[in-house]
Amino acid sequence: MKSFDYDLAIIGIGFAGAEAAWAAAKLGMDVLAVSTTLDWKHFPCSTGLGGPGRGHILREISAMGGLIPEVSDRNYIHRRPSNYSKGPAVSSLFYLVDEIQFSGEIKSALERRNNIHLYQGRLDGFYLDGDGFLLNFADGTKFRTRSLVIAAGTFINGKVIQGKSIEEGGRKGLYGSKKLYETFKELGFKTATFRTGTPPRISASTFNKEKFEVQKFFKSLPFGFDSFKTPQERRQIYSYAGHTNEETKKETLKYLSEVEGLYDVRGPGHCPSFVDKVLNYPLKDRHQIFIFPTSTVGGELIISGLGLPFSVEAQLKIIRTIEGLEEAEIVRPGYAVEYDFIYPTQLKKTLESKAIEN
């Protein structure tokens, strides 16, 4: 009789979870990969991949047989060298990818591996069960697994904040997992809270690109993120760079009281909200923003660098202070996500918990 349903269960199938499932499956493990929705898209904030630091990591993931670099090379809609003027130590590659095609291909790759089993559900907690774990899902389903990977990101005790509106969730419209957070506390893990900002998306027809700097793509490059192949040339489109101004800053400061405890929770260093920038750099009156397309056919544009936690009315007033966005119409409002994380001092260098094996 088989004592475990799976060798490994992975909770969360974002970038980290997808790579974990792919790596474990290639090592011959029987993998359960869980997400609160199997209709996910990987890019709430930006369709950008690469750049300094992150681009190097993608090449390393590729060298170890990873999935995301090769999928990126097949689905880019804009690519260019990054930081090449600063020398080889920090030079890299930057992509925008088609969020629908990219996410669909990631899902398809996981589905085609016969030892990866996708499951849509919300994990409410887990229990130590002999030499493994018993997983308890919100719908009453239970699975036993020998090893457990938690890659739930912003979904652990997640709250979606948009002005006075606060909903439980790890992303707009998706469930968070408060009970999983409670399990961590019961097991003695020390946690803290981050808050990160997701920028609004606007209709492309309301964007005046003449007021922004065009960021040109490179049609032909001898390399991509996949370490083993040269990517084929694809149809590409421009992205755009611009700046906020003193009026944007003044308008933002008007709405700080909309969000309770805005000063109490900080964001992760790599993903500051626009509010963080305004508060942390009070003498600075302009900040760079980018207008990123999400696909070659869609009509949505992401205002990267303008993560806002306010009501839609406030967001519109802030956005429309920016030259070229005076007529902008929001199609997906921005929001903040407040979520909990485990202090990394409780993990080994391998990221395995020091307190609980496997």
Side-chain angles (χ1 to χ4, degrees):
M1 179 179 171
K2 187 178 177 182
S3 58
F4 294 99
D5 298 308
Y6 300 98
D7 298 314
L8 172 67
I10 296 166
I11 309 305
I13 324 176
F15 289 113
E19 287 291 8
W22 190 250
K26 291 179 80 171
L27 290 170
M29 295 181 182
D30 205 25
V31 180
L32 175 68
V34 176
S35 177
T36 53
T37 176
L38 293 181
D39 299 315
W40 76 91
K41 289 188 287 188
H42 284 74
F43 302 96
C45 291
S46 164
T47 55
L49 287 172
R54 292 175 299 176
H56 295 74
I57 290 170
L58 280 167
R59 294 280 292 183
E60 290 171 3
I61 289 171
S62 175
M64 294 187 287
L67 176 63
I68 288 167
E70 64 175 84
V71 175
S72 303
D73 277 0
R74 287 195 291 269
N75 292 285
Y76 68 85
I77 57 174
H78 177 106
R79 65 173 179 170
R80 63 178 186 268
S82 172
N83 269 10
Y84 266 60
S85 62
K86 297 179 181 178
V90 293
S91 61
S92 186
L93 185 64
F94 177 77
Y95 276 9
L96 297 174
V97 298
D98 187 305
E99 66 174 357
I100 297 172
Q101 292 180 0
F102 176 95
S103 299
E105 189 172 334
I106 292 288
K107 184 186 178 192
S108 178
L110 298 178
E111 287 172 332
R112 290 197 305 270
R113 296 288 311 203
N114 60 14
N115 55 338
I116 294 178
H117 310 271
L118 297 181
Y119 183 75
Q120 180 170 292
R122 189 184 77 215
L123 183 69
D124 268 359
F126 60 89
Y127 307 96
L128 304 181
D129 186 25
D131 54 351
F133 303 89
L134 179 65
L135 309 182
N136 183 28
F137 288 86
D139 61 5
T141 303
K142 297 182 188 299
F143 293 114
R144 287 196 76 225
T145 179
R146 188 183 303 276
S147 301
L148 179 61
V149 168
I150 304 289
T154 59
F155 285 75
I156 297 176
N157 201 26
K159 298 182 186 70
V160 175
I161 301 165
Q162 194 176 310
K164 300 291 185 184
S165 170
I166 300 176
E167 309 168 53
E168 287 191 11
R171 194 182 298 173
K172 190 74 171 174
L174 295 179
Y175 296 113
S177 189
K178 189 169 186 176
K179 290 187 177 179
L180 181 55
Y181 163 76
E182 290 168 355
T183 298
F184 287 138
K185 298 299 282 186
E186 288 167 6
L187 290 169
F189 287 105
K190 187 181 178 186
T191 65
T193 304
F194 272 154
R195 180 184 287 156
T196 188
T198 299
R201 296 188 182 198
I202 60 170
S203 169
S205 64
T206 64
F207 164 57
N208 184 357
K209 63 185 179 184
E210 304 301 325
K211 301 292 185 178
F212 280 74
E213 177 190 346
V214 174
Q215 295 194 295
K216 295 182 179 180
F217 53 79
F218 275 59
K219 186 176 179 182
S220 180
L221 285 172
F223 59 91
F225 289 128
D226 188 334
S227 300
F228 306 101
K229 297 176 189 171
T230 299
Q232 293 183 344
E233 290 185 13
R234 289 173 46 84
R235 179 192 168 197
Q236 296 187 65
I237 51 182
Y238 296 127
S239 66
Y240 300 87
H243 288 87
T244 63
N245 53 53
E246 191 173 359
E247 198 59 37
T248 316
K249 177 181 174 181
K250 287 179 182 176
E251 198 66 33
T252 301
L253 291 171
K254 288 181 187 177
Y255 298 103
L256 296 185
S257 61
E258 261 199 6
V259 181
E260 190 177 337
L262 194 59
Y263 305 93
D264 302 334
V265 183
R266 71 186 184 94
H270 65 278
C271 194
S273 72
F274 183 67
V275 174
D276 289 336
K277 295 174 187 176
V278 169
L279 295 177
N280 293 337
Y281 303 97
L283 300 180
K284 195 169 183 180
D285 289 330
R286 68 198 300 258
H287 298 272
Q288 192 167 38
I289 59 170
F290 299 93
I291 305 295
F292 288 155
T294 61
S295 73
T296 54
V297 294
E300 292 183 20
L301 298 173
I302 297 173
I303 312 178
S304 184
L306 202 70
L308 295 169
F310 306 127
S311 64
V312 177
E313 293 78 11
Q315 291 185 41
L316 262 180
K317 288 178 180 177
I318 292 167
I319 290 168
R320 288 176 175 176
T321 63
I322 299 168
E323 192 175 8
L325 299 178
E326 295 92 345
E327 305 297 324
E329 292 290 347
I330 292 174
V331 293
R332 300 193 197 213
Y335 55 89
V337 182
E338 196 172 285
Y339 61 99
D340 285 81
F341 65 94
I342 290 172
Y343 274 107
T345 51
Q346 298 162 102
L347 306 176
K348 300 176 184 177
K349 290 180 181 179
T350 60
L351 305 186
E352 183 184 11
S353 161
K354 292 177 180 177
I356 300 171
E357 199 173 5
N358 292 329

